[in-house]
Amino acid sequence: MSLLTADRDMEAVDVLVRSSPHLYETIGFHCQQAVEKYLKAALIASALPAPFIHNLIVLMGPLHQNGILQFTTQELANAATLNEFAVELRYETDDAPGYTAADLLAMANGFRNKLRPVAQAFLI
């Protein structure tokens, strides 16, 4: 795993949001994957274990508990939204979401901006 793969997930999301915003399940999945990779890279760069799980909130825990990063209530809510795409919303649904593809991109960008500087040491 590297930041490059997370950055590529984000690049794919950007292209999809511009060209096919109706594909929110795919966009959400790639947003969740990117944030998961940024979190795991930040954990490793901070000499913390990066468990093989997909739950973003659980992955955020050690960074918060060790005083490396603080997460807002809104960031926790965004992580919960993106968590839905780890498995549940990877498949077509008729339910209209309460957010747009651009909202999902904004959530993921917020995490990228917060996590990438901490994870930067993992690039090497």
PDB file of all heavy atoms in Angstrom, residues 83-106:
ATOM      1  N   ASN A  83     -18.091   4.838   5.225  1.00  0.00           N
ATOM      2  CA  ASN A  83     -18.070   3.427   5.635  1.00  0.00           C
ATOM      3  C   ASN A  83     -19.137   2.609   4.922  1.00  0.00           C
ATOM      4  O   ASN A  83     -18.942   1.424   4.658  1.00  0.00           O
ATOM      5  CB  ASN A  83     -18.290   3.293   7.149  1.00  0.00           C
ATOM      6  CG  ASN A  83     -17.012   3.301   7.941  1.00  0.00           C
ATOM      7  OD1 ASN A  83     -15.919   3.150   7.400  1.00  0.00           O
ATOM      8  ND2 ASN A  83     -17.147   3.490   9.238  1.00  0.00           N
ATOM      9  N   GLU A  84     -20.263   3.234   4.624  1.00  0.00           N
ATOM     10  CA  GLU A  84     -21.345   2.524   3.933  1.00  0.00           C
ATOM     11  C   GLU A  84     -20.880   1.945   2.601  1.00  0.00           C
ATOM     12  O   GLU A  84     -21.444   0.965   2.119  1.00  0.00           O
ATOM     13  CB  GLU A  84     -22.521   3.462   3.694  1.00  0.00           C
ATOM     14  CG  GLU A  84     -23.179   3.971   4.949  1.00  0.00           C
ATOM     15  CD  GLU A  84     -24.279   4.985   4.649  1.00  0.00           C
ATOM     16  OE1 GLU A  84     -24.775   5.022   3.499  1.00  0.00           O
ATOM     17  OE2 GLU A  84     -24.622   5.743   5.559  1.00  0.00           O
ATOM     18  N   PHE A  85     -19.876   2.547   2.007  1.00  0.00           N
ATOM     19  CA  PHE A  85     -19.421   2.125   0.680  1.00  0.00           C
ATOM     20  C   PHE A  85     -18.361   1.031   0.731  1.00  0.00           C
ATOM     21  O   PHE A  85     -17.971   0.503  -0.298  1.00  0.00           O
ATOM     22  CB  PHE A  85     -18.887   3.334  -0.096  1.00  0.00           C
ATOM     23  CG  PHE A  85     -19.960   4.312  -0.430  1.00  0.00           C
ATOM     24  CD1 PHE A  85     -20.201   5.399   0.392  1.00  0.00           C
ATOM     25  CD2 PHE A  85     -20.764   4.134  -1.541  1.00  0.00           C
ATOM     26  CE1 PHE A  85     -21.201   6.300   0.103  1.00  0.00           C
ATOM     27  CE2 PHE A  85     -21.769   5.030  -1.843  1.00  0.00           C
ATOM     28  CZ  PHE A  85     -21.996   6.118  -1.018  1.00  0.00           C
ATOM     29  N   ALA A  86     -17.913   0.676   1.921  1.00  0.00           N
ATOM     30  CA  ALA A  86     -16.913  -0.386   2.030  1.00  0.00           C
ATOM     31  C   ALA A  86     -17.495  -1.700   1.540  1.00  0.00           C
ATOM     32  O   ALA A  86     -16.794  -2.493   0.919  1.00  0.00           O
ATOM     33  CB  ALA A  86     -16.409  -0.513   3.466  1.00  0.00           C
ATOM     34  N   VAL A  87     -18.764  -1.921   1.807  1.00  0.00           N
ATOM     35  CA  VAL A  87     -19.407  -3.160   1.375  1.00  0.00           C
ATOM     36  C   VAL A  87     -20.843  -2.914   0.932  1.00  0.00           C
ATOM     37  O   VAL A  87     -21.204  -3.212  -0.197  1.00  0.00           O
ATOM     38  CB  VAL A  87     -19.393  -4.226   2.497  1.00  0.00           C
ATOM     39  CG1 VAL A  87     -20.130  -5.477   2.054  1.00  0.00           C
ATOM     40  CG2 VAL A  87     -17.971  -4.571   2.893  1.00  0.00           C
ATOM     41  N   GLU A  88     -21.655  -2.315   1.795  1.00  0.00           N
ATOM     42  CA  GLU A  88     -23.096  -2.265   1.564  1.00  0.00           C
ATOM     43  C   GLU A  88     -23.509  -1.614   0.248  1.00  0.00           C
ATOM     44  O   GLU A  88     -24.344  -2.141  -0.472  1.00  0.00           O
ATOM     45  CB  GLU A  88     -23.814  -1.535   2.715  1.00  0.00           C
ATOM     46  CG  GLU A  88     -23.749  -2.254   4.032  1.00  0.00           C
ATOM     47  CD  GLU A  88     -22.607  -1.748   4.889  1.00  0.00           C
ATOM     48  OE1 GLU A  88     -22.109  -0.639   4.631  1.00  0.00           O
ATOM     49  OE2 GLU A  88     -22.205  -2.473   5.805  1.00  0.00           O
ATOM     50  N   LEU A  89     -22.961  -0.444  -0.053  1.00  0.00           N
ATOM     51  CA  LEU A  89     -23.423   0.299  -1.230  1.00  0.00           C
ATOM     52  C   LEU A  89     -22.583   0.062  -2.477  1.00  0.00           C
ATOM     53  O   LEU A  89     -22.635   0.845  -3.417  1.00  0.00           O
ATOM     54  CB  LEU A  89     -23.493   1.799  -0.917  1.00  0.00           C
ATOM     55  CG  LEU A  89     -24.590   2.195   0.064  1.00  0.00           C
ATOM     56  CD1 LEU A  89     -24.597   3.691   0.284  1.00  0.00           C
ATOM     57  CD2 LEU A  89     -25.949   1.724  -0.410  1.00  0.00           C
ATOM     58  N   ARG A  90     -21.837  -1.018  -2.496  1.00  0.00           N
ATOM     59  CA  ARG A  90     -21.083  -1.333  -3.707  1.00  0.00           C
ATOM     60  C   ARG A  90     -21.997  -1.921  -4.768  1.00  0.00           C
ATOM     61  O   ARG A  90     -21.595  -2.138  -5.900  1.00  0.00           O
ATOM     62  CB  ARG A  90     -19.959  -2.308  -3.388  1.00  0.00           C
ATOM     63  CG  ARG A  90     -18.836  -1.649  -2.636  1.00  0.00           C
ATOM     64  CD  ARG A  90     -17.727  -2.601  -2.335  1.00  0.00           C
ATOM     65  NE  ARG A  90     -17.223  -3.208  -3.540  1.00  0.00           N
ATOM     66  CZ  ARG A  90     -16.452  -4.289  -3.543  1.00  0.00           C
ATOM     67  NH1 ARG A  90     -16.115  -4.861  -2.423  1.00  0.00           N
ATOM     68  NH2 ARG A  90     -16.014  -4.792  -4.665  1.00  0.00           N
ATOM     69  N   TYR A  91     -23.208  -2.184  -4.399  1.00  0.00           N
ATOM     70  CA  TYR A  91     -24.150  -2.805  -5.309  1.00  0.00           C
ATOM     71  C   TYR A  91     -25.289  -1.836  -5.571  1.00  0.00           C
ATOM     72  O   TYR A  91     -25.645  -1.033  -4.722  1.00  0.00           O
ATOM     73  CB  TYR A  91     -24.654  -4.124  -4.721  1.00  0.00           C
ATOM     74  CG  TYR A  91     -23.493  -5.026  -4.387  1.00  0.00           C
ATOM     75  CD1 TYR A  91     -22.999  -5.104  -3.094  1.00  0.00           C
ATOM     76  CD2 TYR A  91     -22.833  -5.732  -5.387  1.00  0.00           C
ATOM     77  CE1 TYR A  91     -21.897  -5.887  -2.789  1.00  0.00           C
ATOM     78  CE2 TYR A  91     -21.724  -6.518  -5.094  1.00  0.00           C
ATOM     79  CZ  TYR A  91     -21.268  -6.597  -3.798  1.00  0.00           C
ATOM     80  OH  TYR A  91     -20.174  -7.357  -3.504  1.00  0.00           O
ATOM     81  N   GLU A  92     -25.875  -1.929  -6.765  1.00  0.00           N
ATOM     82  CA  GLU A  92     -26.899  -0.978  -7.181  1.00  0.00           C
ATOM     83  C   GLU A  92     -28.056  -0.943  -6.191  1.00  0.00           C
ATOM     84  O   GLU A  92     -28.475  -1.967  -5.656  1.00  0.00           O
ATOM     85  CB  GLU A  92     -27.405  -1.382  -8.563  1.00  0.00           C
ATOM     86  CG  GLU A  92     -28.384  -0.404  -9.143  1.00  0.00           C
ATOM     87  CD  GLU A  92     -28.807  -0.797 -10.542  1.00  0.00           C
ATOM     88  OE1 GLU A  92     -28.157  -1.642 -11.162  1.00  0.00           O
ATOM     89  OE2 GLU A  92     -29.806  -0.232 -11.000  1.00  0.00           O
ATOM     90  N   THR A  93     -28.542   0.227  -5.994  1.00  0.00           N
ATOM     91  CA  THR A  93     -29.687   0.417  -5.111  1.00  0.00           C
ATOM     92  C   THR A  93     -30.625   1.445  -5.731  1.00  0.00           C
ATOM     93  O   THR A  93     -30.192   2.300  -6.491  1.00  0.00           O
ATOM     94  CB  THR A  93     -29.238   0.881  -3.708  1.00  0.00           C
ATOM     95  OG1 THR A  93     -30.412   1.079  -2.921  1.00  0.00           O
ATOM     96  CG2 THR A  93     -28.443   2.156  -3.749  1.00  0.00           C
ATOM     97  N   ASP A  94     -31.885   1.329  -5.420  1.00  0.00           N
ATOM     98  CA  ASP A  94     -32.870   2.296  -5.913  1.00  0.00           C
ATOM     99  C   ASP A  94     -33.052   3.453  -4.943  1.00  0.00           C
ATOM    100  O   ASP A  94     -33.748   4.407  -5.242  1.00  0.00           O
ATOM    101  CB  ASP A  94     -34.223   1.619  -6.146  1.00  0.00           C
ATOM    102  CG  ASP A  94     -34.180   0.658  -7.319  1.00  0.00           C
ATOM    103  OD1 ASP A  94     -33.355   0.868  -8.229  1.00  0.00           O
ATOM    104  OD2 ASP A  94     -34.969  -0.309  -7.323  1.00  0.00           O
ATOM    105  N   ASP A  95     -32.460   3.343  -3.770  1.00  0.00           N
ATOM    106  CA  ASP A  95     -32.598   4.389  -2.769  1.00  0.00           C
ATOM    107  C   ASP A  95     -31.820   5.630  -3.181  1.00  0.00           C
ATOM    108  O   ASP A  95     -30.650   5.545  -3.554  1.00  0.00           O
ATOM    109  CB  ASP A  95     -32.084   3.911  -1.414  1.00  0.00           C
ATOM    110  CG  ASP A  95     -32.889   2.736  -0.882  1.00  0.00           C
ATOM    111  OD1 ASP A  95     -34.053   2.593  -1.298  1.00  0.00           O
ATOM    112  OD2 ASP A  95     -32.342   1.972  -0.072  1.00  0.00           O
ATOM    113  N   ALA A  96     -32.457   6.771  -3.102  1.00  0.00           N
ATOM    114  CA  ALA A  96     -31.785   8.034  -3.399  1.00  0.00           C
ATOM    115  C   ALA A  96     -30.949   8.425  -2.184  1.00  0.00           C
ATOM    116  O   ALA A  96     -31.468   8.483  -1.069  1.00  0.00           O
ATOM    117  CB  ALA A  96     -32.794   9.109  -3.730  1.00  0.00           C
ATOM    118  N   PRO A  97     -29.678   8.700  -2.386  1.00  0.00           N
ATOM    119  CA  PRO A  97     -28.828   9.073  -1.246  1.00  0.00           C
ATOM    120  C   PRO A  97     -29.118  10.500  -0.792  1.00  0.00           C
ATOM    121  O   PRO A  97     -29.676  11.305  -1.537  1.00  0.00           O
ATOM    122  CB  PRO A  97     -27.415   8.960  -1.821  1.00  0.00           C
ATOM    123  CG  PRO A  97     -27.591   9.242  -3.281  1.00  0.00           C
ATOM    124  CD  PRO A  97     -28.948   8.670  -3.639  1.00  0.00           C
ATOM    125  N   GLY A  98     -28.712  10.801   0.425  1.00  0.00           N
ATOM    126  CA  GLY A  98     -28.893  12.144   0.964  1.00  0.00           C
ATOM    127  C   GLY A  98     -27.702  13.035   0.679  1.00  0.00           C
ATOM    128  O   GLY A  98     -27.518  14.033   1.370  1.00  0.00           O
ATOM    129  N   TYR A  99     -26.916  12.697  -0.312  1.00  0.00           N
ATOM    130  CA  TYR A  99     -25.716  13.450  -0.671  1.00  0.00           C
ATOM    131  C   TYR A  99     -25.477  13.279  -2.159  1.00  0.00           C
ATOM    132  O   TYR A  99     -26.044  12.396  -2.795  1.00  0.00           O
ATOM    133  CB  TYR A  99     -24.508  12.940   0.128  1.00  0.00           C
ATOM    134  CG  TYR A  99     -24.495  11.431   0.225  1.00  0.00           C
ATOM    135  CD1 TYR A  99     -24.111  10.639  -0.852  1.00  0.00           C
ATOM    136  CD2 TYR A  99     -24.929  10.795   1.377  1.00  0.00           C
ATOM    137  CE1 TYR A  99     -24.154   9.265  -0.784  1.00  0.00           C
ATOM    138  CE2 TYR A  99     -24.966   9.413   1.457  1.00  0.00           C
ATOM    139  CZ  TYR A  99     -24.577   8.656   0.364  1.00  0.00           C
ATOM    140  OH  TYR A  99     -24.636   7.287   0.433  1.00  0.00           O
ATOM    141  N   THR A 100     -24.637  14.122  -2.697  1.00  0.00           N
ATOM    142  CA  THR A 100     -24.283  14.030  -4.109  1.00  0.00           C
ATOM    143  C   THR A 100     -22.889  13.425  -4.249  1.00  0.00           C
ATOM    144  O   THR A 100     -22.148  13.303  -3.267  1.00  0.00           O
ATOM    145  CB  THR A 100     -24.270  15.426  -4.759  1.00  0.00           C
ATOM    146  OG1 THR A 100     -23.191  16.187  -4.175  1.00  0.00           O
ATOM    147  CG2 THR A 100     -25.593  16.151  -4.570  1.00  0.00           C
ATOM    148  N   ALA A 101     -22.536  13.102  -5.477  1.00  0.00           N
ATOM    149  CA  ALA A 101     -21.185  12.609  -5.756  1.00  0.00           C
ATOM    150  C   ALA A 101     -20.159  13.666  -5.364  1.00  0.00           C
ATOM    151  O   ALA A 101     -19.096  13.344  -4.830  1.00  0.00           O
ATOM    152  CB  ALA A 101     -21.059  12.241  -7.231  1.00  0.00           C
ATOM    153  N   ALA A 102     -20.488  14.927  -5.601  1.00  0.00           N
ATOM    154  CA  ALA A 102     -19.580  16.015  -5.219  1.00  0.00           C
ATOM    155  C   ALA A 102     -19.410  16.084  -3.703  1.00  0.00           C
ATOM    156  O   ALA A 102     -18.312  16.387  -3.210  1.00  0.00           O
ATOM    157  CB  ALA A 102     -20.091  17.345  -5.765  1.00  0.00           C
ATOM    158  N   ASP A 103     -20.477  15.781  -2.949  1.00  0.00           N
ATOM    159  CA  ASP A 103     -20.370  15.740  -1.490  1.00  0.00           C
ATOM    160  C   ASP A 103     -19.381  14.652  -1.052  1.00  0.00           C
ATOM    161  O   ASP A 103     -18.577  14.865  -0.145  1.00  0.00           O
ATOM    162  CB  ASP A 103     -21.727  15.456  -0.839  1.00  0.00           C
ATOM    163  CG  ASP A 103     -22.745  16.562  -1.031  1.00  0.00           C
ATOM    164  OD1 ASP A 103     -22.344  17.731  -1.206  1.00  0.00           O
ATOM    165  OD2 ASP A 103     -23.956  16.241  -1.006  1.00  0.00           O
ATOM    166  N   LEU A 104     -19.479  13.486  -1.686  1.00  0.00           N
ATOM    167  CA  LEU A 104     -18.569  12.382  -1.346  1.00  0.00           C
ATOM    168  C   LEU A 104     -17.127  12.768  -1.640  1.00  0.00           C
ATOM    169  O   LEU A 104     -16.229  12.501  -0.838  1.00  0.00           O
ATOM    170  CB  LEU A 104     -18.957  11.123  -2.125  1.00  0.00           C
ATOM    171  CG  LEU A 104     -20.332  10.539  -1.798  1.00  0.00           C
ATOM    172  CD1 LEU A 104     -20.687   9.432  -2.789  1.00  0.00           C
ATOM    173  CD2 LEU A 104     -20.387  10.032  -0.369  1.00  0.00           C
ATOM    174  N   LEU A 105     -16.915  13.414  -2.776  1.00  0.00           N
ATOM    175  CA  LEU A 105     -15.570  13.874  -3.126  1.00  0.00           C
ATOM    176  C   LEU A 105     -15.065  14.882  -2.095  1.00  0.00           C
ATOM    177  O   LEU A 105     -13.911  14.814  -1.667  1.00  0.00           O
ATOM    178  CB  LEU A 105     -15.561  14.489  -4.527  1.00  0.00           C
ATOM    179  CG  LEU A 105     -14.247  15.115  -4.999  1.00  0.00           C
ATOM    180  CD1 LEU A 105     -13.111  14.099  -5.002  1.00  0.00           C
ATOM    181  CD2 LEU A 105     -14.419  15.739  -6.375  1.00  0.00           C
ATOM    182  N   ALA A 106     -15.920  15.794  -1.675  1.00  0.00           N
ATOM    183  CA  ALA A 106     -15.521  16.789  -0.675  1.00  0.00           C
ATOM    184  C   ALA A 106     -15.147  16.118   0.649  1.00  0.00           C
ATOM    185  O   ALA A 106     -14.175  16.513   1.304  1.00  0.00           O
ATOM    186  CB  ALA A 106     -16.643  17.811  -0.471  1.00  0.00           C
TER     187      ALA A 106
END
